[in-house]
Structures are given as C-alpha cells and as structure tokens.
Amino acid sequence: MDCVGDLLMIWDFCSSFRKLLHLWPFSLEDFENALCHKDSNLIIIVESHSTILRLLMKDSGDYSLAIQKKKRKSKITLITWTEYLCDFIEMIDVAELSNSITTIKRGHYGLLDIHAKLGILRELVAHTLATNFVREKLDEYIEQRQVLAATRRGEAMEEARKKREDKEHLKAESDGKEIVEGRRAESVGSSSNTIVNGNHSSQSGDVADKWSKNALLSRAKHALENRKQVDTILKRYAKKQKIDDKAAVKITKDSSRNGAPKLTRDDGSEAMQRSKEQRVSCVCAHVCVWVWGMRAGVLGF
C-alpha cells in the first residue's frame, strides 16, 4: 500500500478546507471505497473534483487562463466535470497522468487505476494550496492557532498559578495547624505539670500537716512529762522544807531545855522571815524550771 500516504493527505485536505471548498464531511473509509469503486459518477468523487476545479477557476492562475482560452463556461456540472478535469491534466502535462485523458473523456473514470486517481487528486491539491484563497485562509488559520495556543498557554499558566497559590495556602494552613497543635500540646503539658505539682504540693502539705500534728503531740507529751517532773520536784522541796522546819523547832526546844539563852521575839520573827524567803526562792526556782520545761516542750528544743 504505497498509496496510503496520498490517500491520507487528500482526505485531510478535504476535511480541513471543507468550508472553503463547500464540501460535505465524509469519512476516510467512505472516501477509500469511492476511489476503489468502478462507477464514474459517485457523489464523493464528483464533488471532491468539482469543488477543487471551481476554486482553481476563481484564482487568476494558469488553469483559469486555460479555461478562458477554450471558452468554457464557469459552471461545472455532473455531466461536464470530466471535461474540466481533462483540461487540468493537459495543463500540468504529467506523462503518467496524460495516458488517463482518453479513458476519462470516454466517461470511464471509474476504470482508472487507484494510483492514477490518487495522482490526479494529488496534483489538484498541490495547485490549490498555491492559490491566494488558500494562502489567505492558511494565514488566518495560523493566526487563529497562535491565538488559541496563546490563550491555552495563558490558561495553563493561570491554572498553574492557582495551583501554586492553593498549595502555598494549604502549606500555610498546615503550618498554622502545627503551631496551634504545638501550643496546645505545650498547654496540655503545662497543665499536666501543674496538676502533678499540685498533687505533689498537696501530698507535701499532707505530709507537713501530719508531721506538724506528730510534732505537736510529741511536744505536748514532752511538756506534760516536764510538768510532772516539776510537780515531783516541788513536792520533794515542800516535804524537805517541812522536815527542816520541824528540825528547827526541835533544836530550839532542845536549846531551851539545856539552858540556852531564849530567842527574842525579833529573833523568832527574823527566823520565820528567812524561812519564808527560802520557801519563796524555792518556789520561784521550781516555777522557772517548770516554765522552761513548758517552753522547751512547745518549741521542740
């Protein structure tokens, strides 16, 4: 299939310039079947040749001059289209295609070889692309394509910018969430430490209260023991004082019996005063000892 390239090129030209050529769209398969068919007046074949020949007639080129010399009408019909096609083949003067003129004039275009059919259409397309109509249309198409490409490029850049902004926005939100979560974690950790410290302080307070209570009980017990000791000392001193008083009276009596000089009233008063002072001194001493014991018990000395 060495003619596939020509087939695709001709079909693509007819499809791309169908509006300029005023052609109805047709598929590649239909176009291939029409070229392979032996009928000479198939619609696709007649229309594809006639529209290209009309366009060449409108252009001020060699084909238009050749038609004018032969004084042909400008209207191509289903019956006369082969005559205009033979005029074109004669004008281009291609040896391998000139052999087909006799067959075409007899009305047997369908009997031509597929290579001859594609060769004729290839030359028609080549001369059509050289006309001013097609060149202007090509320039228009190229400009439209450039505008479309620029628009698409701008849309792509805008879309890329939006995606980049969205990505940066998402990144900023993610960073913000991480910061908030970090602060929240720090706050939770601080609260936990506060609770732990509070519990520790509470436990320390409980221990301190317990220790204070134990210390107070110990001090009170110690003070009570000191008080008992002081009372015992006071009782011992009081008992001893009574014994001393009795002994003094006995000595006085013995002295009186033995003829010792009698004590005067003043001497007796003085003795009693000394005795009273001794008792007071003894009581003060005992009170001081008791007070010191009480302080020592309360203060925990």
Side-chain angles (χ1 to χ4, degrees):
M1 295 294 292
D2 55 348
C3 59
V4 174
D6 291 338
L7 176 66
L8 292 174
M9 185 271 292
I10 296 166
W11 175 80
D12 183 69
F13 173 81
C14 294
S15 299
S16 301
F17 293 93
R18 63 182 183 83
K19 292 183 178 180
L20 180 64
L21 300 172
H22 304 287
L23 273 174
W24 288 99
F26 50 85
S27 65
L28 178 62
E29 184 178 2
D30 293 338
F31 184 58
E32 181 182 3
N33 293 331
L35 289 173
C36 295
H37 205 277
K38 300 301 181 181
D39 192 354
S40 300
N41 293 319
L42 293 176
I43 298 300
I44 293 178
I45 297 299
V46 174
E47 288 297 324
S48 59
H49 286 79
S50 298
T51 54
I52 294 175
L53 291 171
R54 291 191 189 99
L55 185 61
L56 290 175
M57 289 172 62
K58 292 180 180 179
D59 186 62
S60 58
D62 295 337
Y63 182 71
S64 177
L65 295 176
I67 294 299
Q68 291 177 4
K69 287 179 180 180
K70 292 186 178 183
K71 297 180 180 181
R72 293 190 184 275
K73 296 180 180 179
S74 60
K75 187 176 182 181
I76 300 175
T77 63
L78 184 62
I79 297 174
T80 62
W81 74 275
T82 55
E83 296 177 2
Y84 289 87
L85 181 59
C86 290
D87 293 338
F88 175 76
I89 296 172
E90 290 175 356
M91 183 198 71
I92 61 176
D93 194 18
V94 178
E96 60 183 8
L97 298 179
S98 298
N99 298 329
S100 303
I101 296 176
T102 304
T103 306
I104 295 172
K105 285 182 177 182
R106 292 176 182 177
H108 300 297
Y109 173 84
L111 298 178
L112 293 176
D113 183 67
I114 186 68
H115 292 87
K117 293 178 180 179
L118 288 173
I120 295 170
L121 285 170
R122 183 180 65 243
E123 293 296 330
L124 286 170
V125 169
H127 282 74
T128 305
L129 289 173
T131 61
N132 294 328
F133 296 104
V134 175
R135 287 181 179 179
E136 291 176 0
K137 200 66 178 179
L138 284 173
D139 293 340
E140 183 180 348
Y141 285 162
I142 292 171
E143 186 177 356
Q144 291 177 357
R145 291 283 183 176
Q146 291 176 349
V147 172
L148 181 61
T151 303
R152 290 180 178 177
R153 185 166 56 252
E155 291 176 354
M157 293 177 63
E158 182 67 19
E159 185 177 358
R161 185 184 63 80
K162 288 182 179 180
K163 287 182 179 180
R164 184 171 62 254
E165 290 179 354
D166 293 340
K167 186 176 180 180
E168 292 176 354
H169 182 67
L170 290 174
K171 185 178 180 181
E173 288 183 353
S174 178
D175 294 341
K177 288 181 180 179
E178 289 179 359
I179 293 172
V180 172
E181 290 177 358
R183 291 180 179 176
R184 187 177 298 171
E186 291 178 358
S187 178
V188 171
S190 178
S191 300
S192 300
N193 293 332
T194 303
I195 293 172
V196 171
N197 293 332
N199 293 333
H200 182 70
S201 299
S202 177
Q203 292 176 358
S204 300
D206 293 339
V207 172
D209 292 341
K210 187 175 181 180
W211 181 85
S212 179
K213 289 179 181 179
N214 293 333
L216 288 174
L217 290 174
S218 177
R219 292 170 186 172
K221 185 177 179 181
H222 184 67
L224 183 61
E225 291 177 356
N226 290 335
R227 184 173 180 180
K228 288 181 179 179
Q229 291 177 1
V230 171
D231 291 341
T232 302
I233 293 171
L234 289 175
K235 287 179 181 180
R236 288 179 182 176
Y237 274 101
K239 185 176 180 180
K240 184 177 180 182
Q241 188 63 36
K242 287 180 181 180
I243 294 172
D244 292 340
D245 291 343
K246 288 180 181 181
V249 172
K250 184 178 179 181
I251 292 170
T252 303
K253 288 180 180 181
D254 291 340
S255 299
S256 179
R257 288 193 191 114
N258 294 327
K262 294 182 179 180
L263 296 172
T264 64
R265 185 182 299 269
D266 294 334
D267 293 335
S269 298
E270 186 178 353
M272 292 296 289
Q273 184 67 27
R274 285 197 302 269
S275 177
K276 186 182 292 186
E277 290 178 356
Q278 291 177 357
R279 292 193 190 97
V280 171
S281 298
C282 181
V283 170
C284 289
H286 293 326
V287 169
C288 289
V289 171
W290 179 76
V291 170
W292 181 86
M294 287 293 292
R295 288 181 178 177
V298 173
L299 297 176
F301 294 148

